[in-house]
Amino acid sequence: MKKGLRNIIWTLVFVLLFGSIAGCSREDLKKILQENGRLQRSEEREQVQDEPSRQRAEVPQIEQKEVKPIQKISGEKYAYGQLDALGQTVYDEMLSTILNHEDKISLSTTDTEVMNRAYAAVCSDYGGLFWVNGYVFTRYKKGDELVGLEFSPKYTMTQEVRRQTQQMIDRVVEEWFAGISINDTDYEKAKYIYETLALKTEYVEDAKDSQNIISVFLRKQTVCQGYACAVQYLLEQLGVQSVIVSGKALGQPHAWNLLCLDGEYYYMDATWGNNGYRNKEGVETSFIDYNYMAMTTAEMQMGHEPDMEISLPECTAVLNNYYIKEGNYIEEWQPEQTGAMLAKAWEEKRVITLRFSDDSLKDQAFQYFIRDGHIADYCPGLSQINYLEDSLWKEISFCFNQ
């Protein structure tokens, strides 16, 4: 999905203290941009091809080969756990073939639906399979009876090029992990990965290798699939379970993640983590949007629609929500406490987003700090208020990074 569907460059609202007030919500601007046709995108997903030229009308006997032990390394993987016993066996066969860079394998099923579900689960669980892009399969028949199904991965590089590419990726990942430890909390790990991807990777619709992690780590330009693969790949190495979720966002193809923090599930959309605005001179400034770092199912469904290729849990946990964890969630009117938070952000010249528990509380804060200008009581030297208002999320962002 094109990042423009969410990462809209908002026109920043300037309010001179004690002067006239004018505001524009993200929701309104989104509607305007959609009507102007700026939010269009079509993104292809991996294609599984059944090549007619490879199908055989009748084969008396499938070639017999020595059976190698199948690797079973996915017991803790989320999508793997959603398959039945046969699906898990087929998943193991496919994954073993891909990891060993083998040409083909005769599967333990003749049901193409079982094969399709198993492959979708492999792709959801493993964001780091950058050397494969889909597969082809061959049906084996004896008379009218289907007696075999052969799976052949579609490799995009040789095993040696894969090895060299992996080494380059490993070096970048090692650099990125310099700021995080395996001993940090799950929340700290998720926040670090979310911020790192937002700061180090640019959304580029036509990015090369955009459907895999090469685009993220080696090119620093990707699309939603690349972001989702990178999230899964990085969090796995930090000991946090994560899976890639595919579907639609605002009506367009999209990919994001389901992750488990402290034993509870949340959704993350790293593609939408890097937001931005333009000031009145047209200068663009970016900031990290934490709305999509640890979402509940209800929050995820405000803009996302999973395709349900894998069964998903109902996510209701909020303890690792960014605003709650960082103390930016306002549940009662305490102007002095809120003013102190604004003062700190003003001193550090950064964006601070406050989320409110209800609309009336948000409106009260808006009246007090913006319309009545009391923000000047806490931010000495402030001559104008730069803010963004989001009615959907019940938020006000104060932009002090100009």
Side-chain angles (χ1 to χ4, degrees):
M1 175 196 170
K2 187 173 182 179
K3 192 176 181 183
L5 279 169
R6 180 60 187 80
N7 187 17
I8 299 169
I9 302 302
W10 304 102
T11 301
L12 184 63
V13 178
F14 289 83
V15 180
L16 297 179
L17 285 180
F18 311 111
S20 60
I21 305 298
C24 185
S25 71
R26 301 184 193 184
E27 185 177 8
D28 292 339
L29 285 173
K30 184 190 301 178
K31 181 178 180 181
I32 293 171
L33 292 177
Q34 286 173 323
E35 290 173 350
N36 288 340
R38 288 182 54 189
L39 305 183
Q40 301 298 318
R41 183 173 188 275
S42 175
E43 179 179 311
E44 296 294 329
R45 297 184 57 218
E46 289 184 343
Q47 296 298 310
V48 177
Q49 297 179 1
D50 181 7
E51 297 180 350
S53 62
R54 298 192 59 192
Q55 297 182 25
R56 306 173 186 181
E58 183 174 346
V59 178
Q61 186 175 4
I62 301 176
E63 180 183 1
Q64 299 296 317
K65 294 184 178 181
E66 180 183 355
V67 178
K68 297 181 181 179
I70 299 299
Q71 290 180 284
K72 297 187 177 182
I73 62 174
S74 304
E76 299 302 317
K77 297 288 189 178
Y78 181 85
Y80 181 84
Q82 307 309 306
L83 299 172
D84 61 18
L86 177 58
Q88 290 181 351
T89 297
V90 174
Y91 175 118
D92 289 330
E93 291 168 345
M94 289 178 166
L95 180 60
S96 178
T97 302
I98 292 169
L99 294 179
N100 292 320
H101 218 101
E102 296 172 342
D103 291 336
K104 58 188 177 181
I105 188 172
S106 294
L107 300 176
S108 296
T109 184
T110 57
D111 189 335
T112 56
E113 287 301 313
V114 173
M115 176 184 65
N116 292 338
R117 286 195 298 270
Y119 184 76
V122 169
C123 294
S124 295
D125 280 337
Y126 287 90
L129 304 178
F130 59 83
W131 62 93
V132 63
N133 182 26
Y135 64 89
V136 296
F137 65 92
T138 305
R139 294 185 180 94
Y140 290 88
K141 289 185 177 180
K142 186 174 183 180
D144 293 331
E145 181 186 3
L146 184 61
V147 297
L149 191 60
E150 186 178 81
F151 167 83
S152 300
K154 294 172 61 179
Y155 296 116
T156 59
M157 60 187 68
T158 65
Q159 197 163 3
E160 176 58 24
V161 173
R162 167 190 162 186
R163 184 189 66 80
Q164 296 171 358
T165 303
Q166 185 67 64
Q167 289 178 342
M168 291 188 289
I169 290 173
D170 290 344
R171 285 194 289 269
V172 174
V173 171
E174 184 178 2
E175 292 175 4
W176 286 17
F177 278 171
I180 195 69
S181 167
I182 192 71
N183 297 318
D184 287 333
T185 66
D186 285 355
Y187 172 80
E188 290 169 336
K189 294 171 184 176
K191 181 171 178 280
Y192 182 82
I193 296 305
Y194 189 80
E195 293 174 337
T196 300
L197 287 170
L199 295 172
K200 293 184 177 292
T201 309
E202 178 185 11
Y203 185 100
V204 176
E205 186 175 357
D206 298 323
K208 189 175 181 181
D209 296 310
S210 63
Q211 300 302 296
N212 62 63
I213 60 173
I214 292 175
S215 58
V216 175
F217 299 119
L218 303 187
R219 307 190 189 282
K220 308 300 190 295
Q221 295 181 335
T222 193
V223 297
C224 60
Q225 185 69 33
Y227 279 109
C229 288
V231 167
Q232 192 287 320
Y233 184 75
L234 293 170
L235 286 179
E236 177 185 40
Q237 295 185 57
L238 291 174
V240 175
Q241 185 193 61
S242 175
V243 65
I244 299 165
V245 179
S246 61
K248 292 184 178 180
L250 302 180
Q252 297 295 324
H254 196 51
W256 60 101
N257 297 87
L258 173 74
L259 57 155
C260 187
L261 305 179
D262 299 320
E264 297 180 308
Y265 285 104
Y266 299 82
Y267 289 100
M268 174 187 287
D269 188 345
T271 306
W272 288 359
N274 190 352
N275 212 328
Y277 59 85
R278 288 194 184 105
N279 64 16
K280 62 182 180 180
E281 285 82 27
V283 177
E284 182 179 326
T285 303
S286 63
F287 68 95
I288 297 176
D289 187 340
Y290 292 97
N291 287 341
Y292 306 95
M293 194 191 88
M295 296 180 284
T296 64
T297 295
E299 291 170 338
M300 179 270 291
Q301 290 175 339
M302 290 195 296
H304 301 69
E305 182 183 354
D307 59 19
M308 303 309 291
E309 284 188 343
I310 58 175
S311 178
L312 298 171
E314 182 71 17
C315 303
T316 58
V318 295
L319 290 180
N320 283 303
N321 174 277
Y322 169 82
Y323 299 96
I324 293 175
K325 203 78 171 179
E326 301 293 331
N328 290 9
Y329 185 66
I330 311 299
E331 296 183 275
E332 57 182 323
W333 180 240
Q334 295 180 325
E336 291 298 325
Q337 182 176 328
T338 304
M341 295 164 59
L342 296 175
K344 189 169 189 266
W346 164 247
E347 182 180 351
E348 296 172 353
K349 303 301 180 188
R350 60 180 171 85
V351 174
I352 180 172
T353 300
L354 303 179
R355 179 181 289 184
F356 299 87
S357 59
D358 58 63
D359 289 319
S360 62
L361 195 56
K362 179 178 76 70
D363 293 342
Q364 188 174 10
F366 188 91
Q367 180 68 42
Y368 182 80
F369 288 107
I370 297 178
R371 286 202 174 96
D372 296 342
H374 285 291
I375 191 172
D377 300 339
Y378 304 93
C379 304
L382 181 67
S383 60
Q384 63 184 20
I385 308 170
N386 305 331
Y387 75 93
L388 299 170
E389 185 181 12
D390 191 324
S391 299
L392 181 64
W393 292 92
K394 302 181 182 65
E395 293 173 353
I396 304 173
S397 296
F398 295 85
C399 307
F400 299 131
N401 60 338
Q402 282 289 302

